[in-house]
Amino acid sequence: MTVELDPQTLTFAQVIAVARHDEPVTLPAHVREQVIAARRSVERLATSEKPVYGVSTGFGALAQRHIPAESRAQLQKSLIRSHAAGVGEPVEREVVRALMLLRARTLATGRTGVKPETLDAYIALLNAGITPWVHEFGSLGCSGDLAPLSACALVVMGEGLVHDPAVAAGAAPRAVDAAEVLTAAGITPVALEEKEGLALVNGTDGMLGQLIMALFDLEKLLSTADLSAAMSVESQLGTDTVFQPELHYPLRPFDGQALSAANMATALRGSAIVAGHKDSTHLVQDAYSLRCTPQVTGAARDALAYAANVAARELRAAIDNPVVLDSGMVSSNGNFHGAPLAHAMDFLAIVVADAASIAERRTDRAMDPARNQGLHAFLADDPGVDSGLMIAHYTQAALVSETKRLAAPASVDSIPSSAMQEDHVSMGWHAARKLRKAVDNLTSVLGIELYAAARATELRDAAPAPVTGAVIAGLRELVPGCGPDRFMSPELAATIEYVRSGSALTAAEAATGPARAGVSADGAGEQSGVVGGSKAGGLGHTLTDTDGTVLSGVGAHTV
């Protein structure tokens, strides 16, 4: 699809389309007109003898100096060059593309006062697939993502470094001179004028882009968590009665919990394994990691809805300092502070760690013959000769341990900077970076649980549910089933990709049909839907985008 860069209608899905799938971007005519109008206001103020911050003054702690007209072009160049001071490994290409698109969106609001040619340059870079080389360290999340955004602005000026477009996808990135790549693409560098330097770097775009991608990924992963948990319950001879809707809504009316319970009930429906011990007295109650899964992953869903609300509001914001007001005046403000995003991403890192932790506990139970209801130790083919999944569980535990460390909030660690002018910063960029790692870890943790639960299910002498059976059948197209010990890393990698790609959910939906149930990202809208073909207490809680469409594509990714 072609994405129209209208700052009032841009959606999460469109951000993902440009960032991850290189969809082209266009600028509507009415948006260009509002950019031109704002630029006229800046040009009028530039001729005034009265100093205006960002137009005719220095920046930050140097804002008291009035800059004469003949030095202002150099001021813009100096700002960008000095602020492009990041170090460390290059940030992922999708993050940089999201950052550039979201900065272009803010430029398109008509609140920043840039020339339309400057906005055009960002769109041209995106459409040409040119990705600035952005280092991982440099942003304090206030005033916005200064160093990452400056690295992009430097390329717009025809300077700095970009990713070598000749490097194949998946290969190690390599930096090359931006000027040469722009010339080859026929893109003319921009000569920045008054106000433009600040307009290109005073934003929360790197934080917001990473939050949107985390929301997109977690919406799928939490449905996968419901699925892998159901497989663990089934294979460990747990009961499905605790997932019946009347035990959740209205008894405990949390949207996410009701949906997670409904997903697990749907996944287990028709299981001969579960039916085979319906009247058994082997357990009065299942362990918490089996019985309380909807309460944990459901709470994670509710946290996701809160974070989506934050992201949706920021996606409609015009983050710059100073900003052009409707009156044509340019006014200083503090909207660049990343606290709202930082808090939301720290919150998500906590719930990701909790979701990973309970998944590891379920896997640990499957390893232990004292608790796995008659299965071999470590699900080994010949325990003693074979070690089975012993070390696969170690790997999962190591991932969970790191994810717990990543749950320590970044937003409480303000470090004063800029000669105490910026004496409280959000650290939102770091909250975003650790959240990305936590999401990757959760993907691997769920993949290992699914791998173990599939093997445990196949060791039972009864048929699994249609949904769980379909997921196992899809997995078996990628990796073999039970048997003697073999090189396990490739099989785990294939299973993790089965989760990451959404293929496990696709296999489940093939057995139930896609389900759609949701509330909008701002918390409003219809709160009813069908989950797996049955009513989930009249509730739904799958993320939907700002335009009301399901956030993550195919179906609502509820099992």
Side-chain angles (χ1 to χ4, degrees), residues 336-358:
F336 48 70
H337 200 288
L341 302 179
H343 295 164
M345 290 186 286
D346 279 342
F347 190 9
L348 288 182
I350 290 170
V351 299
V352 166
D354 202 25
S357 180
I358 196 171

Side-chain angles (χ1 to χ4, degrees), residues 136 346 348-357 360 393-409 430-431 433-445 448 500:
E136 182 161 19
D346 279 342
L348 288 182
I350 290 170
V351 299
V352 166
D354 202 25
S357 180
E360 181 275 330
H393 171 247
Y394 280 31
T395 299
Q396 188 189 47
L399 287 162
V400 170
S401 181
E402 183 188 49
T403 307
K404 290 176 181 178
R405 293 194 297 273
L406 293 169
H430 294 276
R433 298 306 295 164
K434 69 185 184 66
L435 177 58
R436 283 180 67 82
K437 181 61 176 174
V439 171
D440 283 344
N441 287 356
L442 177 60
T443 305
S444 297
V445 166
I448 293 172
R500 188 190 316 278

Side-chain angles (χ1 to χ4, degrees), residues 480-496:
C482 301
D485 285 355
R486 52 188 183 260
F487 183 24
M488 191 168 294
S489 288
E491 295 188 14
L492 293 180
T495 307
I496 291 166

Side-chain angles (χ1 to χ4, degrees), residues 36 124 173 207 230 251 274 317 372 466 475 494 496 536 555:
I36 292 171
M207 292 178 265
L251 201 62
V274 172
N372 65 17
L475 179 62
I496 291 166

